[in-house]
């Protein structure tokens, strides 16, 4: 028996997480325990699950997040590998409930797997999404090779320099990552500074590049967050392929990009 038995809606969300974890590993974006996933599953949790007791007491979050009271999250486990999560999501992650004090959580299923080390920053993002009425329910952190490589070039780190360059590589990037790519200057992994800087960028961008580390993305579900990182990294691959062939890719003209924005009526702000 697992908590997913006879819970098709919850099962479908966790299936997506497992599928994406497999892609992250196959793409080489999730070495060892690299990357984190959290999904707000509150909408697909039933009353029996809500009545389940804590497996191992209460744990502090380290911050107070008022919008998360009574919310439920699937969280990848700390030190767990994406490639293992792909095969067995409930042994490499767990479902947590945010307690009434909004500053602690309980693990309720299936095993007392301690959530990701980046839990406070992920939960702060979820809190922000709920506060702003967003329908986004997933947060993904991963290490996409080409985007991280590009972040080692200082010239790329100015506001929207990479956004424009990546959009201009192939029209689909603009169509499927219409808010572009935010940038956070290097900060220590897991630090409050990194969490706060990410929160500031997420107000304007669905995908945020952490200099010399990885990306943090938000989306409707985990597949949506993954897709946005995937299209941006594909554009980075095209740019780097041109460079490897000995030329700097010309890129679409500003007019060609404006045309795509208008024809597809692309959003410039996050739709709810
Ligand atoms: O949790 O990638 O940045 C593993 C990480 C932290
Ligand atoms: Zn990381």
């Amino acid at each position: 028996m697992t908590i997913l038995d006879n819970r098709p809606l919850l099962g479908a969300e966790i299936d997506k997480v497992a599928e994406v974890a497999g892609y992250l590993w196959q793409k080489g974006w999730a070495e060892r325990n690299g990357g984190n996933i959290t999904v707000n599953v509150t909408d697909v949790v039933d009353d029996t699950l809500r009545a389940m007791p804590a497996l191992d007491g209460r744990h502090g979050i380290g911050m107070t997040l008022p919008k998360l009271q009574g919310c439920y999250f699937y969280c990848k486990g700390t030190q767990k590998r994406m490639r293992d999560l792909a095969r067995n999501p409930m042994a490499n992650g767990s479902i947590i409930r945010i307690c009434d004090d909004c500053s602690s959580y309980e693990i309720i299923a299936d095993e007392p797997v301690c959530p990701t080390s980046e839990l406070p920053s992920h939960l702060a993002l979820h809190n922000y999404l709920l506060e702003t009425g967003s329908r986004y329910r997933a947060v993904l952190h991963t290490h996409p090779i080409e985007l991280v490589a590009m972040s080692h070039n200082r010239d790329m780190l100015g506001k929207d320099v990479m956004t424009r360059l990546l959009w201009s590589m192939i029209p689909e990037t603009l169509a499927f990552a219409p808010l572009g790519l935010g940038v956070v200057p290097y900060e220590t992994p897991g630090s409050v500074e990194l969490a706060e800087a990410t929160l500031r960028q997420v107000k304007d961008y669905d995908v945020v590049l952490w200099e010399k580390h990885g990306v943090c993305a938000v989306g409707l579900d985990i597949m949506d967050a993954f897709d946005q990182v995937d299209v941006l990294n594909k554009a980075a691959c095209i740019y780097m392929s041109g460079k490897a062939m000995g030329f700097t890719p010309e890129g679409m003209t500003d007019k060609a990009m404006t045309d795509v924005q208008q024809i597809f009526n692309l959003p410039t702000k996050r739709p709810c």
Side-chain angles (χ1 to χ4, degrees), residues 147-153 157 162 209-213:
L147 287 174
V148 175
M150 285 176 77
S151 79
H152 283 260
N153 179 354
L157 300 178
M162 275 181 76
L209 180 64
W210 290 348
E211 181 187 331
K212 304 184 183 97
H213 179 168

Side-chain angles (χ1 to χ4, degrees), residues 2-43:
T2 96
I3 196 165
L4 305 181
D5 293 342
N6 302 319
R7 291 198 171 89
L9 295 177
L10 181 60
E13 291 310 309
I14 308 295
D15 280 353
K16 282 187 256 179
V17 171
E19 187 177 336
V20 165
Y23 297 153
L24 299 177
W25 164 249
Q26 285 158 15
K27 284 181 159 290
W29 298 357
E31 69 292 343
R32 200 174 182 278
N33 63 317
N36 306 294
I37 291 176
T38 54
V39 180
N40 185 341
V41 292
T42 313
D43 295 342

Side-chain angles (χ1 to χ4, degrees), residues 100-115:
D100 284 348
D101 62 7
C102 304
S103 59
S104 58
Y105 69 88
E106 302 169 331
I107 304 174
I108 58 160
D110 266 340
E111 297 171 29
V113 175
C114 181

Side-chain angles (χ1 to χ4, degrees), residues 6-173:
N6 302 319
R7 291 198 171 89
L9 295 177
L10 181 60
E13 291 310 309
I14 308 295
D15 280 353
K16 282 187 256 179
V17 171
E19 187 177 336
V20 165
Y23 297 153
L24 299 177
W25 164 249
Q26 285 158 15
K27 284 181 159 290
W29 298 357
E31 69 292 343
R32 200 174 182 278
N33 63 317
N36 306 294
I37 291 176
T38 54
V39 180
N40 185 341
V41 292
T42 313
D43 295 342
V44 290
V45 158
D46 56 44
D47 289 345
T48 332
L49 200 140
R50 284 171 195 273
M52 284 172 65
L55 288 181
D56 65 345
R58 274 187 184 210
H59 309 266
I61 300 171
M63 50 176 83
T64 304
L65 301 163
K67 289 287 166 190
L68 301 190
Q69 189 180 55
C71 284
Y72 291 76
F73 293 89
Y74 172 83
C75 305
K76 173 183 170 280
T78 186
Q79 295 298 327
K80 300 294 186 189
R81 290 162 167 78
M82 288 290 180
R83 63 177 191 259
D84 294 334
L85 194 157
R87 283 180 289 106
N88 196 345
M90 294 313 298
N92 294 279
S94 56
I95 292 186
I96 66 166
R97 170 170 52 224
I98 309 298
C99 302
D100 284 348
D101 62 7
C102 304
S103 59
S104 58
Y105 69 88
E106 302 169 331
I107 304 174
I108 58 160
D110 266 340
E111 297 171 29
V113 175
C114 181
T116 161
S117 56
E118 305 272 5
L119 188 69
S121 61
H122 276 237
L123 291 183
L125 289 172
H126 286 290
N127 189 69
Y128 169 76
L129 292 169
L130 290 180
E131 203 171 67
T132 53
S134 169
R135 289 191 299 121
Y136 282 20
R137 293 291 178 266
V139 176
L140 166 68
H141 163 56
T142 188
H143 302 160
I145 301 166
E146 289 78 8
L147 287 174
V148 175
M150 285 176 77
S151 79
H152 283 260
N153 179 354
R154 194 135 306 281
D155 294 344
M156 295 286 173
L157 300 178
K159 183 168 169 54
D160 290 331
V161 172
M162 275 181 76
T163 295
R164 294 204 70 73
L165 188 141
L166 297 171
W167 276 351
S168 78
M169 288 298 105
I170 170 171
E172 276 76 359
T173 314

Side-chain angles (χ1 to χ4, degrees), residues 176-197:
F176 298 121
L179 305 190
L181 182 66
V183 175
V184 166
Y186 184 81
E187 293 287 357
T188 309
S191 63
V192 177
E193 289 77 11
L194 181 58
E196 285 174 350

